[in-house]
Amino acid sequence: MLLVAILFSLFFAIIFTGLFAIAFRNTGPWSGFWAFFLVVFLFSFAAGQWVVPIGPHAWGFYWLPGLLAAVIVATQMAAVASGSKASRYKRAQNLKKNISSSSYYSHHDPGTGGSPLYNTDEDETGVILGAFFWTMLVTLMVIALAGALM
């Protein structure tokens, strides 16, 4: 039964990762589709283990909770993504053009010897998303394994 749960979760993760990566070109806030795939897989597997068995079943496994979890997680991750890669590329190109065409002092702090002024908001956001991602993955693994072993 555990193997069937893993196979269904794997199937749901492949389907939704392919759908969102190819059709919508959006794999959530993390770059690359592997993170999206792993999160959808783990959520689907954990929901299949912990949610009350409802709906149709195949080979003794109720697969509807895992499917619903995969749908909800995939759409939520795609919704929180900060725009497509194309729009991020355009913003980066505009920023480069604005910096090169601006004066020196608009991007350097004359009070500290001319060191560049950097906006660290994007760096902090990346660190926070990275920490959230790894914390969520470890938590999901523990929840899924606990449900599978009980």
Side-chain angles (χ1 to χ4, degrees):
M1 178 112 120
L2 180 62
L3 179 63
V4 175
I6 291 171
L7 289 176
F8 269 105
S9 299
L10 190 63
F11 175 72
F12 296 147
I14 289 170
I15 293 296
F16 286 109
T17 302
L19 178 70
F20 280 86
I22 295 169
F24 301 125
R25 300 199 186 282
N26 189 346
T27 54
W30 299 286
S31 63
F33 66 92
W34 287 108
F36 189 87
F37 171 81
L38 193 58
V39 170
V40 172
F41 170 75
L42 287 174
F43 264 104
S44 177
F45 184 66
Q49 297 300 312
W50 284 99
V51 175
V52 175
I54 57 169
H57 60 87
W59 300 286
F61 178 73
Y62 290 89
W63 51 267
L64 188 61
L67 175 65
L68 293 176
V71 168
I72 291 169
V73 169
T75 55
Q76 288 295 313
M77 284 189 357
V80 300
S82 61
S84 67
K85 290 180 184 177
S87 65
R88 284 186 291 225
Y89 177 76
K90 287 179 185 175
R91 280 184 290 195
Q93 292 301 320
N94 287 338
L95 181 63
K96 279 184 182 179
K97 187 168 66 170
N98 288 341
I99 288 175
S100 64
S101 65
S102 300
S103 69
Y104 175 82
Y105 288 107
S106 65
H107 296 286
H108 289 76
D109 183 14
T112 60
S115 63
L117 294 174
Y118 293 108
N119 184 0
T120 59
D121 290 341
E122 290 182 13
D123 294 335
E124 291 173 1
T125 303
V127 169
I128 291 169
L129 278 175
F132 173 73
F133 174 73
W134 289 108
T135 304
M136 181 178 62
L137 280 186
V138 169
T139 303
L140 282 172
M141 286 182 202
V142 168
I143 290 170
L145 287 174
L149 296 176
M150 293 186 142

